[in-house]
Amino acid sequence: MTPFVGELIGTMILIIFGGGVVGGVVLKKSKAEGAGWIVITVGWGLAVAMGVYAVGGASGAHLNPAVTIGLATIGDFAWADVPMYIVAQMLGAIAGAIIVYLQYLPHWKETEDQEAKLAIFATSPAIRHPLSNLTSEIIGTFVLLLGLLSIGANEFTEGLNPLIVGALIIAIGMSLGGTTGYAINPARDLGPRIAHFFLPIQGKGTSDWGYAWIPVVGPVLGGAFGALFYRQFFIGENSIAFWIVGAIVLAVLLAAQFTVRNVPEPVYQLTSATKAEVEQKRV
């Protein structure tokens, strides 16, 4: 198996299990309907583990452009191979999303909630605030790369590494995923979002392209900074790239903080009686 085929198949497996667990939880008349966030996070963790088990020997099982770019940033992966890996990951993600669509064919009609249908394919924020959402994806992917490199530096019983990586994904989902749905992977979000756009899903609604840049840019920045941070502080290799990417990340964090603090409250032109009602509702 070539690395290209490995990344394609591994990412396809990731989306089949990951998108599949979301479909089971949110689609109407599924036997798993309403199983909740814990089931989704565990499902995604196992999805990553199964993808790594399947193709780790063929491609290293990046399954994620943020991982590929992060490793290339610190010299652990050849930049010349980055485009090929990303294309394979995107194609695999689209293929996996199509399989999830076919798996739940009778359930699309039964489900009226357009946001639930999109959630099977792509992420969306709990509170829509672009810079804060970008910050969440940066932090989540920063932890992902830092965790992956730390796991790789330790010795485990043969064959256990993919399960430890899966546990890392579960931890990120449970601890940090509630804000944006923790894409932490541009292919995982953009590939299925493209599939959602083209697939004949009944009553699917919009693919929310206005948000689509965040789970691409955030993971790329966070992944690169996580890898550079590991090299800077764990290995002791100083790099100008660490300071450049760190400055960009810091600028995003400060901008998010500033814009959240300075969102104006609505101005009411109300009678005194109506103002009292508004204040009562606030309480």
Side-chain angles (χ1 to χ4, degrees):
M1 183 185 294
T2 65
F4 181 89
V5 174
E7 284 299 295
L8 192 156
I9 293 176
T11 310
M12 181 181 71
I13 291 171
L14 166 67
I15 299 302
I16 290 172
F17 284 124
V21 71
V22 179
V25 170
V26 305
L27 289 176
K28 295 297 182 183
K29 297 188 178 180
S30 161
K31 292 183 181 291
E33 183 183 353
W37 185 249
I38 302 301
V39 169
I40 289 174
T41 56
V42 172
W44 272 107
L46 293 175
V48 172
M50 293 305 104
V52 174
Y53 271 123
V55 303
S59 68
H62 295 184
L63 316 183
N64 182 344
V67 172
T68 301
I69 293 171
L71 294 179
T73 301
I74 60 174
D76 282 359
F77 188 73
W79 278 108
D81 292 332
V82 169
M84 178 263 288
Y85 264 56
I86 292 176
V87 170
Q89 292 155 1
M90 286 294 298
L91 291 175
I94 292 170
I98 293 171
I99 292 171
V100 171
Y101 162 72
L102 295 172
Q103 170 69 16
Y104 289 104
L105 270 180
H107 296 267
W108 305 109
K109 182 179 179 181
E110 300 293 336
T111 306
E112 295 182 1
D113 188 341
Q114 295 177 351
E115 290 186 5
K117 292 175 183 178
L118 178 59
I120 297 164
F121 297 89
T123 60
S124 61
I127 298 175
R128 191 172 291 262
H129 183 267
L131 286 175
S132 296
N133 305 148
L134 185 64
T135 295
S136 292
E137 288 295 331
I138 288 173
I139 293 172
T141 320
F142 168 84
V143 173
L144 173 64
L145 265 293
L146 188 61
L148 289 175
L149 291 168
S150 298
I151 290 168
N154 287 273
E155 293 184 5
F156 295 94
T157 302
E158 186 176 356
L160 189 60
N161 286 60
L163 285 178
I164 304 301
V165 171
L168 172 63
I169 301 300
I170 294 171
I172 293 172
M174 289 184 178
S175 301
L176 305 173
T179 53
T180 61
Y182 73 118
I184 59 175
N185 181 340
R188 168 266 175 275
D189 190 277
L190 184 57
R193 196 183 295 269
I194 292 171
H196 176 272
F197 180 78
F198 286 106
L199 285 171
I201 302 168
Q202 186 168 344
K204 65 180 177 181
T206 176
S207 299
D208 195 10
W209 290 109
Y211 181 78
W213 67 276
I214 289 173
V216 173
V217 175
V220 169
L221 277 176
F225 188 55
L228 290 165
F229 185 94
Y230 180 85
R231 277 298 176 91
Q232 181 80 20
F233 293 102
F234 287 71
I235 306 300
E237 295 181 2
N238 192 27
S239 167
I240 186 63
F242 167 79
W243 299 104
I244 294 172
V245 177
I248 296 171
V249 169
L250 180 60
V252 172
L253 301 184
L254 292 175
Q257 175 72 6
F258 177 80
T259 54
V260 167
R261 283 188 171 186
N262 289 276
V263 173
E265 291 192 12
V267 177
Y268 296 97
Q269 298 294 330
L270 305 172
T271 65
S272 57
T274 309
K275 287 181 180 179
E277 290 179 6
V278 171
E279 291 302 322
Q280 181 63 33
K281 288 180 180 178
R282 286 182 174 177
V283 173

